[in-house]
Amino acid sequence: MKKIKRVVVFIFMFFSILSFSEEMKKTEYYVGDKIVLQISGDINNEEIKESLKDFKIFSSEKGKDNIYTVTFTSYSIGDKEIVLGDKKLKLRIASTLSDQEAEPYKELANQENNYDEKDYPYLAIFLAMSGVIAILLSILLYIFDRLNNPYVIFKKGISKVNEENWTEKISLELRRYIDNVYNTNFLGGDYKAISSLKDDDIDFIQNMDYLKFNPNIVYSDDECAEYKKKAVEIVERVRKERKNSV
């Protein structure tokens, strides 16, 4: 960009006698140049301001011999005309930019060089991703809940009961379920009375301890299934009562 010239140009206009030369009419100034115009004749300050209404006036002062000194400039390019009475003064205001600077992206005028930016459905993509994330979180929470659900833990543990481990395994899974549900300490042998557990249930758990700590007792083949069935009945009843109490 060309450096803006703060040029002060003096134009003398004698209202009644001066006729402008062709050279002066073709004088070219740059945007922002300060132009000083001296005017004499039968004219007042308001008429001068009206004639220069399309310009930026910095000052307008009346000096000796009724000569007005007006300093002004223009910030728009093109041919300008100043009319004072029966006199006209034409000025050309040029840009301070070179042709290359005024049009720095000429290559974009070629349609082959234009880049057509696609209007991607960003909102739809964002909502879809949010939906997928929400579904994944729901699945993870469901899995976590299942893994920590006392009933699921009991069912998984009781399914591993067999004729070799049943005297310990049935008691362990039943007491673990009760502790997870009621926050008790049945696993530690602290069998407290709970509204959902009957006296027979407590007796059953204590009897399981007796079986567990007496390995020399001979058991029949059906006892494993009977004790397992009784443990499942207790858990199902407690689970149903807790659901109904909510």
Side-chain angles (χ1 to χ4, degrees), residues 139-158:
I139 294 173
L140 290 175
L141 290 174
Y142 175 77
I143 294 174
F144 180 80
D145 182 67
R146 291 280 297 178
L147 292 176
N148 291 275
N149 187 294
Y151 181 73
V152 174
I153 294 173
F154 171 79
K155 295 291 287 185
K156 184 177 180 181
I158 205 72

Side-chain angles (χ1 to χ4, degrees), residues 9 21-22 62 66 93 99 134-135 138 143 152 184 187 218:
V9 181
S21 66
E22 290 300 321
K62 185 176 181 180
N66 292 326
I93 306 299
D99 292 340
I135 293 173
S138 299
I143 294 174
V152 174
T184 54
L187 284 173
V218 179

Side-chain angles (χ1 to χ4, degrees), residues 7 59 111 125 164:
V7 178
S59 64
Q111 294 298 322
I125 294 173
E164 296 180 357

